[in-house]
Amino acid sequence: MKFKRAYLEIAAFLAVYFFAVYLWTLPFQNSKIPYGEFDAISHWELADYPAQNDRTFVYLPPFIDYSYPENNKYKPHTLWYHPPFHTDLAMISAFARDRVVPIYLTNAIFASSILISVYFVMRKLFGFLPAILSSFLLTFSMRDIMPYLWGQWPERFAYAFIPLILYCFYMYYTSYSKESSKPVYIYMMSILIAVNIMIHPLGFFHSLAGLFVLWIFLLVKHKKLAFNFKHIIISLIIFIILFAIFPYQTASMLKTFAQKDANTKQPPFSRLFQWSFDPKNFGGSVPPSYFSFREMSGNWTLLSKLGINLNFLMVFLLMGIFVLVIRRQDRDIFLLAWLISLYLVLHRDFIGKTNLIHRSLSATAHIFVPITILGALSIASFIKARQISQFLKYGMVLLVIFLAFKYSMPQAYSTLDTAYDNPLKRLNQAQIDVSEWLKTNTNDQQNVSIIGPPPELMEKVWWMASISHRVSNFFEGFLTWGRYKNKPEIASSHLLNDFIVMDYSDIGLISDRSYVDKWQQYEKQNLANHTLLYNKGSIGVYKYESKN
Amino acid sequence: MNLKIENKGFIAITVVIILAFFYLILGFPGMMSALGIILIFMLPAYLILNNFDLEQDEKIIFSFFIGVGIFPSISYWLGMVISFRLAILITFILLVAIAVVLPSRNKASK
């Protein structure tokens, strides 16, 4: 009977997770063309290159080095991220023998793995219903979905480690006594922290803050250190070994961390009473809606027709916090410590650390959602009569599911379903074909230059660079921008012996017709005497070489 | 050494369902990707963790989150000197071999 219940729980979780993965993979279910902002381009190419070339690298290939030469602060021209994340994607791409679906699917599974880790931890500490509902509600978290779509891939995955790292510490601490202990948990914690760094340092700093607060809280409650010299030494050794595997990236991370932030302005005192930030301070990087709880989590205004404009999501969240504070069992302390550590991380600007601070906001749903669910389910516990309490509990489960479908799902679904379906945002077949041609017919030491694209097409040029593993020069707005005053000199000194791509395949999408005329005029005047090597689908490739 | 996987039948059915699901939504590359994730990230790490005193759900979850860090760390460095695909295979064999030689520690230690 017990087994059957476990099987049912797993089946229910699989159903929720499949639903989430179905939603999160919508952007590449019908169109198998890569998409995303500049961050996504860099992640895709770092994964695709080893899979396609059957080798890994320390020094960046020329087409990546052109864009990211100084990103590694310690050793320029090398990988700036620890290699495991992109090697993971590369391995699956090599295994599945496909360039697009494996990389995007593996990333989707990584990004949505917060559903797995939250389910696991909540199931262990609070039981099945809070766990499955938390996982279900996280499916629609816009603060997770938006950065996932934009391309902040490693960071999304790194957050999924936080509950597991805290869980390992919690298990070690709560099972610890002088007579017996389970050191395997502290060893697991050590490995997970090291892997967490390798995935993204930001997740690691969140984890450290969480561990610190959890340890303090448990220490105050239990008044035991749970300190075994042998266990600590072994786990430190494990951590140091893993920490040292990628010295260039680790050193770069430490150097970045040690750097003084450019923005050291002291935040106003009132910010201590806010979780989010003023959107005006982040204009251009993320949309204002990203800073709104209501817009990112859903506006559960169930009683708005009665004139009551309460957001029940917020009500349940506050109830959850209230219940945890009143009850203060170890498992409640676990969630409270996680919540408070997130608060501390989100206010690190008070100690002058502002780097990527707005990105930490994208980890809020991971702890808000479980507490919200506990708050909603706790209503039943206020009723003494068992039958009514049970009825109310399952009623709340249905209500939460209904509210999530009604208020949280529509925005998540439409965002994912229509993501990057603008033809200006994804390469067309002609651009993919020429990229493949360049990859086959040029070597990676040769320059391939794209001259002229207007800003709205620049992401496409970068995607062409990624797919071709070439393209080392971009001359954005070359034909119209005043910045390129010495055009003849650029043509003779910078473009000589380059392959020049003239791409008219998006001609119908460019609103400024005069731009296209200038493009054609330039081609006629400057490239007519050079060899046209490729001419297909409104794209030409010239070899720009001296005729002397 | 402990290479025994608990609830084999149930796990096998679950894996088949997972593969079928990914085949349905993303075709053959989707199914192969899911298979790769299970074989590369989870299986070797699971076999290693099987030697420790952890519950099965813990082993499954930890194997994924540890596998995504340990496996690529080895195959990345191997991929510098040999074919990347071969590096993946050798890493797999190496980690399974570690699972075989590792003494089982399935009891709480003092």
Side-chain angles (χ1 to χ4, degrees):
Chain A
M1 188 64 195
K2 201 179 170 189
F3 261 121
K4 277 183 187 162
R5 185 185 158 87
Y7 290 162
L8 282 175
E9 287 183 6
I10 291 169
F13 174 71
L14 274 182
V16 166
Y17 191 64
F18 282 169
F19 175 63
V21 170
Y22 171 78
L23 283 185
W24 287 44
T25 56
L26 279 170
F28 57 97
Q29 281 179 22
N30 294 323
S31 170
K32 307 284 189 279
I33 296 170
Y35 63 88
E37 308 299 319
F38 290 104
D39 278 357
I41 300 171
S42 71
H43 297 310
W44 188 84
E45 64 195 12
L46 289 172
D48 180 63
Y49 188 86
Q52 287 294 302
N53 291 280
D54 201 24
R55 66 183 170 87
T56 51
F57 57 86
V58 170
Y59 289 94
L60 300 172
F63 77 100
I64 302 178
D65 194 42
Y66 177 75
S67 306
Y68 304 97
E70 308 282 336
N71 274 39
N72 187 315
K73 306 282 181 229
Y74 173 75
K75 186 86 175 166
H77 310 290
T78 62
L79 271 171
W80 58 105
Y81 282 102
H82 287 80
F85 181 83
H86 300 98
T87 309
D88 281 335
L89 305 183
M91 288 192 300
I92 302 303
S93 178
F95 180 83
R97 296 187 171 272
D98 186 277
R99 295 182 76 181
V100 179
V101 170
I103 292 177
Y104 274 89
L105 176 58
T106 307
N107 177 54
I109 289 172
F110 284 175
S112 60
S113 62
I114 186 67
L115 274 72
I116 300 173
S117 56
V118 165
Y119 172 81
F120 168 77
V121 169
M122 289 299 287
R123 171 71 188 82
K124 286 292 203 185
L125 302 184
F126 293 91
F128 173 69
L129 278 179
I132 195 78
L133 287 175
S134 299
S135 202
F136 171 68
L137 196 51
L138 277 171
T139 303
F140 313 119
S141 163
M142 288 304 295
R143 276 206 189 119
D144 286 79
I145 290 170
M146 281 162 57
Y148 156 73
L149 287 173
W150 297 331
Q152 286 147 20
W153 295 359
E155 190 188 297
R156 304 265 35 91
F157 188 28
Y159 289 134
F161 285 74
I162 299 168
L164 296 178
I165 289 168
L166 296 183
Y167 170 81
C168 285
F169 177 75
Y170 175 87
M171 290 301 290
Y172 175 74
Y173 188 96
T174 53
S175 65
Y176 185 90
S177 69
K178 278 186 182 161
E179 293 74 40
S180 82
S181 62
K182 292 194 84 176
V184 67
Y185 286 110
I186 199 108
Y187 305 151
M188 287 293 124
M189 184 194 85
S190 197
I191 299 172
L192 286 169
I193 292 176
V195 176
N196 201 192
I197 295 181
M198 292 180 194
I199 301 298
H200 198 284
L202 194 55
F204 162 70
F205 291 118
H206 279 239
S207 299
L208 281 192
L211 281 175
F212 176 72
V213 178
L214 181 59
W215 180 66
I216 295 285
F217 278 21
L218 290 174
L219 186 66
V220 168
K221 186 180 175 194
H222 292 281
K223 295 178 180 56
K224 70 170 180 183
L225 267 175
F227 184 86
N228 180 300
F229 193 69
K230 187 180 137 197
H231 301 161
I232 302 294
I233 290 294
I234 292 174
S235 48
L236 268 178
I237 290 170
I238 293 171
F239 176 76
I240 289 167
I241 289 171
L242 293 172
F243 194 64
I245 290 179
F246 302 108
Y248 291 166
Q249 288 72 31
T250 300
S252 174
M253 181 193 86
L254 294 174
K255 205 170 170 185
T256 307
F257 184 71
Q259 270 175 353
K260 212 168 177 196
D261 288 359
N263 178 16
T264 50
K265 212 173 82 180
Q266 189 71 6
F269 181 73
S270 60
R271 222 186 73 64
L272 285 173
F273 304 100
Q274 297 165 340
W275 278 89
S276 192
F277 305 97
D278 185 350
K280 283 183 211 133
N281 297 336
F282 301 92
S285 60
V286 281
S289 61
Y290 174 79
F291 299 93
S292 158
F293 175 82
R294 194 175 282 253
E295 289 187 63
M296 292 293 97
S297 309
N299 193 11
W300 291 12
T301 49
L302 184 63
L303 304 177
S304 59
K305 282 185 183 160
L306 302 175
I308 302 168
N309 276 323
L310 264 184
N311 183 356
F312 276 80
L313 205 58
M314 183 62 87
V315 173
F316 293 150
L317 174 60
L318 293 174
M319 281 183 69
I321 294 172
F322 177 74
V323 168
L324 295 178
V325 170
I326 295 297
R327 204 166 53 190
R328 293 195 308 280
Q329 292 175 0
D330 284 352
R331 57 186 187 159
D332 304 322
I333 286 174
F334 177 95
L335 289 186
L336 284 173
W338 184 4
L339 180 73
I340 289 168
S341 69
L342 181 65
Y343 173 87
L344 294 178
V345 169
L346 281 169
H347 292 80
R348 63 182 182 269
D349 45 344
F350 280 90
I351 56 163
K353 290 284 170 198
T354 55
N355 195 18
L356 299 180
I357 194 164
H358 67 290
R359 291 206 189 172
S360 289
L361 200 61
S362 68
T364 46
H366 311 159
I367 177 64
F368 282 3
V369 163
I371 297 177
T372 302
I373 297 297
L374 287 175
L377 295 181
S378 69
I379 293 170
S381 63
F382 294 119
I383 310 291
K384 289 270 187 257
R386 188 176 154 73
Q387 269 189 331
I388 300 172
S389 171
Q390 286 292 93
F391 179 78
L392 196 59
K393 184 172 141 189
Y394 290 105
M396 284 309 295
V397 170
L398 293 176
L399 182 69
V400 166
I401 294 171
F402 167 76
L403 292 171
F405 273 131
K406 183 167 169 59
Y407 295 111
S408 300
M409 184 178 144
Q411 194 188 358
Y413 177 78
S414 70
T415 303
L416 288 159
D417 193 38
T418 57
Y420 296 90
D421 58 2
N422 178 340
L424 274 176
K425 288 285 185 184
R426 292 200 202 204
L427 297 183
N428 58 44
Q429 195 53 50
Q431 288 162 333
I432 291 173
D433 290 345
V434 74
S435 304
E436 297 281 1
W437 184 88
L438 287 166
K439 184 167 174 280
T440 313
N441 294 284
T442 62
N443 71 54
D444 64 2
Q445 296 304 318
Q446 286 176 304
N447 280 337
V448 177
S449 289
I450 308 253
I451 49 171
E456 62 259 43
L457 293 184
M458 273 315 283
E459 272 167 28
K460 283 200 162 202
V461 172
W462 282 51
W463 273 120
M464 285 167 75
S466 295
I467 291 182
S468 64
H469 293 180
R470 304 291 183 267
V471 183
S472 37
N473 283 323
F474 308 111
F475 292 97
E476 185 183 358
F478 183 76
L479 307 173
T480 53
W481 288 3
R483 152 155 92 90
Y484 296 109
K485 287 197 172 71
N486 49 348
K487 286 174 192 164
E489 193 204 318
I490 288 174
S492 62
S493 60
H494 290 273
L495 302 180
L496 193 63
N497 292 324
D498 283 10
F499 290 87
I500 309 284
V501 179
M502 297 301 293
D503 178 3
Y504 298 99
S505 62
D506 282 325
I507 209 159
L509 304 172
I510 300 174
S511 50
D512 187 355
R513 185 69 212 176
S514 69
Y515 207 101
V516 180
D517 294 338
K518 283 193 177 110
W519 223 339
Q520 284 172 326
Q521 198 185 344
Y522 178 86
E523 183 178 5
K524 206 182 263 181
Q525 283 174 358
N526 295 280
L527 299 173
N529 292 328
H530 297 272
T531 314
L532 181 63
L533 297 170
Y534 179 97
N535 189 13
K536 205 173 132 191
S538 306
I539 301 179
V541 180
Y542 290 88
K543 182 80 169 72
Y544 193 90
E545 54 197 353
S546 167
K547 293 287 175 185
N548 300 328
Chain B
M1 175 177 80
N2 183 9
L3 288 182
K4 201 178 150 195
I5 297 175
E6 299 156 64
N7 302 317
K8 256 187 220 151
F10 181 71
I11 288 180
I13 292 168
T14 306
V15 169
V16 169
I17 292 170
I18 290 171
L19 297 183
F21 168 76
F22 284 105
Y23 182 79
L24 278 175
I25 63 165
L26 289 162
F28 191 70
M31 186 189 76
M32 288 302 288
S33 305
L35 182 63
I37 287 169
I38 294 166
L39 285 180
I40 295 173
F41 299 153
M42 296 182 75
L43 184 63
Y46 180 88
L47 294 175
I48 291 174
L49 293 182
N50 217 12
N51 291 295
F52 294 92
D53 185 26
L54 293 165
E55 291 176 30
Q56 194 182 18
D57 53 353
E58 292 174 331
K59 283 186 274 190
I60 291 172
I61 299 296
F62 293 158
S63 67
F64 173 72
F65 284 92
I66 287 173
V68 296
I70 302 299
F71 199 111
S73 296
I74 301 169
S75 58
Y76 171 81
W77 284 119
L78 281 177
M80 291 285 168
V81 286
I82 56 170
S83 146
F84 182 51
R85 287 184 173 81
L86 193 60
I88 296 170
L89 181 66
I90 290 174
T91 307
F92 183 84
I93 293 168
L94 183 74
L95 289 175
V96 173
I98 289 173
V100 171
V101 298
L102 209 65
S104 184
R105 292 174 179 274
N106 273 328
K107 275 183 185 165
S109 66
K110 286 196 173 184

